[in-house]
Amino acid sequence: MVIGCGLVGTVPLIRLRDEIDGRWDTLLLLVAGLGGGCILLALGVGLTSGTLFSVPVLVPLGIGVLMLQGLWANTLKSDGQGTRAIFVEVGFWAVAVSGAGLTVLSKDRLSQGIPLVLLVYAVVLLGVTLVQQVRCRTGSFGLLDLRRNIALGLPLMFTGILTVLITSSGRLVLGQTSGVEAVGLYAVLYRSTTLPLVGHQILIIGFFRQIFSWSDEVLRARAAVIVVGVSAMALGFWVLEPYLGWLLGKRFTQIFASYRAEGLTLLVQTILWSAIALNDLVNSRLQIAGRVTRVTAPYLALGLGALTFWTWSRAQHMPISDTLHGFIMGHFILMVGFYTVQCWSAWWLGHRFVRLWLSTYVCTVGVGLLIFLGELYG
């Protein structure tokens, strides 16, 4: 995210918002330069070291691939081609798995097939980007054009970093305070109960173009549909949970039975994850992402610091079950606060999406109450 300068996130702004002065051909050139530089670095390190399967090769190669892949996935979504965008977004993993399969079939070392196939995929993506850059070039450009595009992307870079911190904070905090076992238990609960976020992703892809092309009035009226949809999927997961053991595995069944309250709390928290991500998209469209981040970043830093200290102090004299319970409840409160600060910041900047924000609170409380009553009397 840092190396990409948030440029990939500017695709819908440049392609769908007439008031944006960033240039499409300049964006293609910048992403091709940054992504291509990463790919060349990976290739150079691989040739020098004699092996492609190493951290110094795979990290820049992965960065280059994901940057170029994200560019074209966002381009397809902006052009209303959601189905094709889904296939592009899973391209990295599909190619990696294909490389592993080819290596196994050839009875060669597993470690060599994956980076080789990823390298071919990277070259194809880079070639497509360069060809399109040449085709759509609208004239000469200078340093000012580059600065405009980068300035457009930098606020989205900081927003993206915050998103990574939010989604990874559970494992990071527990890993530093409570050890591997707590992280493992949390990971099983988190990965399974956030399945409704797959629905969030499908809805976002379906509405991606509209989020950036609707008028502010229409967006205020309709954006809540996504939060309501994710809430319905969270309820669906709760109803179907007894029948999901065959899909999610025996370990899920065991962990969820032992930590049911914690798992259901994470399930309700999925609604907040979706709403926070949707706010990020809306703030990007409104070009207030950077100013909102100035408020939410200090809040998250202080909140995570306090949560880390509290979890560590509990872990010193409590069993893992109590530590995990306290952390998940504390993290839920932290996310409610983060969403509130996010909404307040947008309100303070003059953008009032009251229906969307109230829908999130109502859905979170409503789904939580339904699950609580169902567990109590079911």
Side-chain angles (χ1 to χ4, degrees):
M1 290 188 174
V2 174
I3 293 175
C5 300
L7 291 167
V8 170
T10 66
V11 171
L13 292 173
I14 293 175
R15 294 183 72 84
L16 299 175
R17 306 299 300 174
D18 293 335
E19 74 274 14
I20 300 298
D21 56 5
R23 286 176 52 169
W24 175 239
D25 56 347
T26 304
L27 175 61
L28 290 176
L29 180 66
L30 284 167
V31 176
L34 293 170
C38 291
I39 295 166
L40 288 175
L41 175 61
L43 183 59
V45 172
L47 292 175
T48 302
S49 63
T51 178
L52 292 175
F53 193 78
S54 65
V55 171
V57 173
L58 289 174
V59 169
L61 179 58
I63 290 173
V65 169
L66 291 173
M67 196 184 305
L68 293 165
Q69 179 180 286
L71 169 73
W72 292 110
N74 276 354
T75 300
L76 290 170
K77 287 187 287 186
S78 300
D79 294 345
Q81 301 181 54
T83 302
R84 292 178 64 186
I86 291 175
F87 284 104
V88 173
E89 286 192 327
V90 301
F92 179 90
W93 300 110
V95 169
V97 171
S98 300
L102 289 173
T103 305
V104 171
L105 290 174
S106 65
K107 298 181 180 180
D108 195 0
R109 292 174 58 197
L110 178 64
S111 61
Q112 295 301 313
I114 298 174
L116 277 172
V117 178
L118 279 176
L119 185 59
V120 173
Y121 181 49
V123 172
V124 170
L125 287 173
L126 180 59
V128 170
T129 305
L130 290 173
V131 169
Q132 291 300 316
Q133 199 280 330
V134 172
R135 286 181 177 177
C136 70
R137 185 172 178 179
T138 57
S140 61
F141 50 84
L143 183 61
L144 181 59
D145 295 301
L146 297 175
R147 289 176 57 187
R148 283 174 176 169
N149 278 71
I150 293 174
L152 190 62
L154 284 177
L156 305 184
M157 178 192 77
F158 291 111
T159 300
I161 292 172
L162 277 191
T163 301
V164 170
L165 285 176
I166 291 171
T167 55
S168 304
S169 57
R171 285 160 290 176
L172 290 172
V173 171
L174 286 173
Q176 295 299 316
T177 61
S178 308
V180 175
E181 185 178 352
V183 175
L185 293 170
Y186 177 83
V188 173
L189 293 172
Y190 175 83
R191 290 297 185 187
S192 54
T193 56
T194 53
L195 272 179
L197 288 182
V198 176
H200 163 85
Q201 196 64 24
I202 293 172
L203 287 170
I204 288 294
I205 290 174
F207 285 100
F208 190 85
R209 179 180 175 87
Q210 288 83 352
I211 288 173
F212 288 90
S213 59
W214 277 335
S215 66
D216 287 356
E217 292 74 18
V218 174
L219 184 61
R220 289 191 188 96
R222 299 181 182 177
V225 171
I226 296 174
V227 174
V228 173
V230 173
S231 302
M233 293 173 194
L235 277 176
F237 181 95
W238 172 60
V239 172
L240 296 174
E241 173 269 321
Y243 313 102
L244 294 178
W246 67 272
L247 176 65
L248 299 175
K250 183 179 179 181
R251 191 61 174 156
F252 161 74
T253 305
Q254 295 171 343
I255 299 292
F256 202 84
S258 301
Y259 297 91
R260 189 168 183 82
E262 293 79 5
L264 292 175
T265 302
L266 285 174
L267 179 62
V268 176
Q269 190 171 318
T270 300
I271 301 170
L272 290 172
W273 295 127
S274 173
I276 289 170
L278 180 57
N279 265 358
D280 285 340
L281 268 184
V282 172
N283 291 341
S284 170
R285 172 245 169 87
L286 299 172
Q287 297 182 69
I288 61 171
R291 285 177 286 177
V292 171
T293 302
R294 293 173 193 169
V295 181
T296 54
Y299 166 84
L300 187 63
L302 291 172
L304 285 177
L307 182 61
T308 300
F309 177 77
W310 186 63
T311 305
W312 174 83
S313 63
R314 289 171 62 88
Q316 303 307 304
H317 56 85
M318 289 186 175
I320 287 179
S321 58
D322 291 340
T323 301
L324 186 63
H325 177 84
F327 168 77
I328 288 177
M329 297 304 171
H331 195 258
F332 183 89
I333 295 171
L334 178 67
M335 288 303 98
V336 172
F338 183 90
Y339 183 72
T340 302
V341 172
Q342 202 181 38
C343 297
W344 176 85
S345 301
W347 175 284
W348 182 69
L349 292 169
H351 302 281
R352 293 168 171 80
F353 286 76
V354 178
R355 181 178 297 183
L356 170 62
W357 301 336
L358 286 180
S359 296
T360 299
Y361 290 117
V362 169
C363 286
T364 302
V365 174
V367 171
L369 282 175
L370 283 174
I371 291 176
F372 174 76
L373 293 174
E375 292 290 313
L376 187 63
Y377 298 109

